[in-house]
Amino acid sequence: MPIIIPKDLPAYEILEKESVFLMNENRASIQDIRPLKIGLVNLMPKKIQTETQLLRMLANSPLQVDVDLITLESHESKNTKKEHLLKFYNSFSSVRNNKYDGMIITGAPVENIAFEEVDYWQELTEVFEFCKTNVHSTMFICWAFQAGLYYFYDIPKLPLEEKLFGIFKHDIINKKPIVRGFDDEFFIPHSRHTTTRAEDIQKIKDLEIVAMSDDAGVYMCVCEENGFVFVSGHAEYDRYTLDEEYKRDLNLGKPIKIPQNYYPNDDVTKKPFMNWKAHSHLLFTNWLNYNVYQTTPYDIDKI
């Protein structure tokens, strides 16, 4: 089944060329079926890149998915044209009376700033509260993983001596449905300057750690009562995302090492490895199926 997005959204043409199953809004409106209503709160600076990556993940499912792109009014994006935001995005204030089967909150490049000092923190905490009452299941990615754990459970983020950057091996330690079909070991990209300690998560009775990495720490934990899924890595990244980040930081003169386990023999002129694609698609398909579709009420107003 397809994902429903506007036909003139930049991601539409990209995904159509990849033979991703898409449906425009006009065609969807005449089908006698209730699609899953998913909100995507996009906090990343390159919004078109991020929305394309995440829509690609959501489209790899037998379920029909209707996506609302959501932005925060308390922050002005400097890397995405206003015309794009005005045309394709909803402000949070305009959807705060909606109900959603699922919500995804992305990462953001604000790790080295205290949560309360982030310019949109107050509005984001309103989104977090909204997720408790108006969303059946919420996925928090990377910085949102840390922000959600801090807001709901007072779990701190901690600085790393150097950026965690590359592709890292993970192990399943709790066989929840969201990792059904995963191999015992799997690989996921990480790109961050801060971390969250496993022992801090383990102190919270409502949280269960699902997957860990010896090098990257906690990858996934869940709170089943609130339908929360916290994911510290970037399963949605495509092959060249880390490459772009690495070369960007080099050009800016920032201290940055070659991404680990990424370029063949650490040769930056060679095509990067991509060994996380299958698990990435499975993660989002499982989330849509087991965490959203299987348990969300048919009458969305009952969420």
Side-chain angles (χ1 to χ4, degrees), residues 39-51:
L40 171 54
V41 180
N42 191 352
L43 305 176
M44 293 291 276
K46 293 185 176 180
K47 298 197 184 304
I48 293 175
Q49 180 188 55
T50 300
E51 70 203 28

Side-chain angles (χ1 to χ4, degrees), residues 284-303:
F284 284 90
T285 300
N286 282 351
W287 176 67
L288 284 175
N289 183 23
Y290 296 116
N291 295 66
V292 183
Y293 174 73
Q294 297 287 352
T295 54
T296 194
Y298 182 81
D299 183 352
I300 197 169
D301 290 327
K302 293 183 178 179
I303 291 175

